[in-house]
Amino acid sequence: IGQLQALRVLNLDACQLTSIPDSVSGMKSLQQLALGYNRIQSLPETIGEMKSLELLEVQQNRLQSLPKSLGKLSQLKILWASENKLRSLPSEVGKLGLLTDVDLQQNQILSLPTDIISLTSLESLQISKNNLRSLPKNIGGLKKLKYLRAVKNQLVDVPATIAELQHLETLWLSENLLESVPTHIASLKRLRNLRLCSNSSLKRVPFDSIAQLPSLREITLDEPHHSEFADALRRTEPLKTIE
């Protein structure tokens, strides 16, 4: 397979693969590699030699880790690794400065590396259905982030630096263990969609600040919070859909 040096797109989705040969690194011109819906348990370290790779799809496999050599894929823009058995990410992922879209949903990830702040091009981060107890305190460094979906984890708080995500449009934090939402959320002037439902311990929510978010169009809350938000809305302009 490594002799296909001119190949640019390789789709091996749903081929019942259990492994990928080291020789895959020989495909120096490959830009898109789709390996989803297989039974792959590990990726070879040699994958880091595929310097032209822009898209890597490995969703719905049996991966328990990702190789550190991913950090060498300087052209990588899209990484889809949902529905595996990942427990962590290598810190080397922080070297992928062109990465715009990361999907890590339905894994077993306990924490995200602090190096994630270096993903200055990242626009979409999907980390729902993991075992995260916190988000990186420096998450505000992801200046271009538009979509953050972190549903069904074990998050107990939201870092104050989230207020620095000035391009954020979607923030999903449902089905966690949140006790409060920082007042700094009022700084998210482009936020359109906010989900906070199914956080049974949630007590402190800055509804007056949220009600004044100029771009907000949809907010999802548990029923006990409906009246509080409705009262806050009455003090501002009518705007939104409450669920």
Side-chain angles (χ1 to χ4, degrees):
I1 194 172
Q3 298 178 1
L4 302 172
Q5 297 184 13
L7 196 66
R8 284 176 167 74
V9 177
L10 178 59
N11 189 326
L12 295 173
D13 282 347
C15 288
Q16 300 186 23
L17 299 176
T18 58
S19 64
I20 300 299
D22 290 348
S23 59
V24 71
S25 62
M27 295 185 288
K28 303 298 184 184
S29 300
L30 199 68
Q31 296 176 347
Q32 298 181 21
L33 177 58
L35 300 170
Y37 316 101
N38 284 292
R39 304 171 187 170
I40 301 169
Q41 297 186 21
S42 65
L43 297 176
E45 283 290 341
T46 54
I47 201 170
E49 298 173 24
M50 303 173 71
K51 304 297 186 183
S52 299
L53 203 61
E54 297 179 5
L55 181 150
L56 177 60
E57 297 181 23
V58 290
Q59 68 271 29
Q60 288 197 36
N61 276 283
R62 300 177 182 177
L63 298 174
Q64 296 186 25
S65 63
L66 295 176
K68 294 181 178 181
S69 63
L70 278 187
K72 298 179 181 179
L73 301 177
S74 59
Q75 299 302 307
L76 195 66
K77 297 177 181 178
I78 298 174
L79 174 61
W80 292 344
S82 61
E83 297 184 62
N84 279 283
K85 299 180 180 180
L86 301 176
R87 295 181 62 84
S88 63
L89 283 182
S91 59
E92 287 79 5
V93 169
K95 298 178 182 178
L96 303 176
L98 297 183
L99 206 58
T100 63
D101 186 348
V102 174
D103 187 351
L104 299 168
Q105 297 182 100
Q106 288 187 247
N107 279 285
Q108 301 168 18
I109 298 173
L110 299 170
S111 64
L112 296 175
T114 54
D115 306 72
I116 199 171
I117 192 177
S118 301
L119 302 179
T120 53
S121 299
L122 194 63
E123 296 182 3
S124 177
L125 178 59
Q126 301 197 65
I127 48 176
S128 294
K129 299 183 180 180
N130 278 283
N131 296 320
L132 295 167
R133 290 194 59 82
S134 63
L135 297 173
K137 293 190 180 300
N138 57 0
I139 196 170
L142 301 176
K143 300 300 185 183
K144 293 186 178 181
L145 196 65
K146 294 181 179 180
Y147 310 102
L148 175 56
R149 298 180 175 93
V151 174
K152 208 168 187 178
N153 280 280
Q154 299 177 39
L155 300 176
V156 296
D157 58 22
V158 180
T161 58
I162 202 167
E164 300 171 21
L165 301 176
Q166 291 300 303
H167 290 275
L168 198 64
E169 298 178 8
T170 295
L171 177 59
W172 290 2
L173 298 170
S174 302
E175 297 183 68
N176 279 285
L177 303 173
L178 296 180
E179 298 179 357
S180 64
V181 176
T183 56
H184 307 292
I185 199 172
S187 301
L188 301 176
K189 303 302 184 185
R190 298 188 184 185
L191 191 65
R192 298 178 60 86
N193 190 318
L194 175 63
R195 296 188 179 183
L196 296 171
C197 61
S198 300
N199 283 281
S200 59
S201 300
L202 188 59
K203 297 177 181 178
R204 297 187 300 277
V205 183
F207 287 119
D208 285 330
S209 298
I210 292 174
Q212 296 180 47
L213 290 171
S215 300
L216 192 64
R217 292 295 175 268
E218 181 177 342
I219 181 169
T220 306
L221 301 165
D222 287 327
E223 189 171 351
H225 293 299
H226 283 188
S227 60
E228 295 177 68
F229 187 60
D231 289 342
L233 279 179
R234 293 187 188 99
R235 295 187 286 271
T236 61
E237 300 177 32
L239 82 191
K240 319 168 180 187
T241 300
I242 308 176
E243 296 183 359

